[in-house]
Amino acid sequence: MEDLDTQILSLLARDGRMSYTDIGKATGLSTSAAQQRVRRLEQRGVITGYRAIIDPAALGKLLTAFISVTTSDPLEDTDLPPRLAELPEVTACYSVAGRASYVVIAQVETPADLERVLTEIRVRGHANTETQLVLSVPFADRPLV
């Protein structure tokens, strides 16, 4: 990947709404050249989308939990993610190596909500869970470039 593309990715990772004009100014490109570069990065699948980042606390979701899920039947592993996706509190699901089969992230309002979600995960996956609660987030979603 060219240095210019890496620079553009770094700019967009920090501000996905940056204008082509501002990208051009920051990289020394014309507005149309910056637009062409971004479009090529999108077409190549390097940039896969843009999104709003929402503060869970603003929605009352004050508790974030990392939940390690270990299924009792390895054959059920592949069936679990679609069942977990049905739970609106589960915001991410990662297939992992190690003792657990998956690590999921859940955003909830109260400890009672977390208990309900954990029960649902255990029932849907015939699984055991181990939960860590997030106390603070020094940083997250750091750009790769």
Side-chain angles (χ1 to χ4, degrees):
M1 183 169 302
E2 294 181 36
D3 288 342
L4 206 49
D5 289 339
T6 302
Q7 190 177 0
I8 290 170
L9 291 171
S10 179
L11 292 167
L12 287 173
R14 286 165 180 70
D15 180 4
R17 295 179 64 173
M18 182 177 265
S19 71
Y20 297 125
T21 301
D22 289 340
I23 292 170
K25 286 178 185 174
T27 59
L29 295 171
S30 68
T31 299
S32 62
Q35 181 179 19
Q36 288 175 352
R37 289 255 182 179
V38 170
R39 289 246 161 83
R40 271 188 270 157
L41 289 166
E42 292 169 346
Q43 290 168 348
R44 289 177 27 212
V46 177
I47 297 174
T48 59
Y50 302 88
R51 64 185 176 100
I53 299 170
I54 300 166
D55 179 7
L59 301 177
K61 309 287 185 180
L62 301 176
L63 294 175
T64 300
F66 293 150
I67 305 165
S68 298
V69 182
T70 307
T71 58
S72 54
D73 181 358
L75 296 176
E76 293 193 33
D77 278 1
T78 57
D79 296 338
L80 187 58
R83 287 183 276 166
L84 296 180
E86 295 171 356
L87 300 171
E89 299 87 355
V90 173
T91 60
C93 178
Y94 299 92
S95 175
V96 296
R99 194 165 46 115
S101 304
Y102 297 96
V103 172
V104 299
I105 300 174
Q107 303 275 348
V108 297
E109 293 181 14
T110 67
D113 292 331
L114 178 58
E115 185 174 26
R116 180 183 46 75
V117 169
L118 290 171
T119 299
E120 279 293 318
I121 290 170
R122 290 179 192 129
V123 168
R124 289 171 187 243
H126 305 105
N128 295 316
T129 60
E130 184 176 319
T131 305
Q132 291 82 38
L133 287 178
V134 174
L135 300 176
S136 68
V137 183
F139 64 87
D141 299 323
R142 288 178 52 179
L144 295 173
V145 291

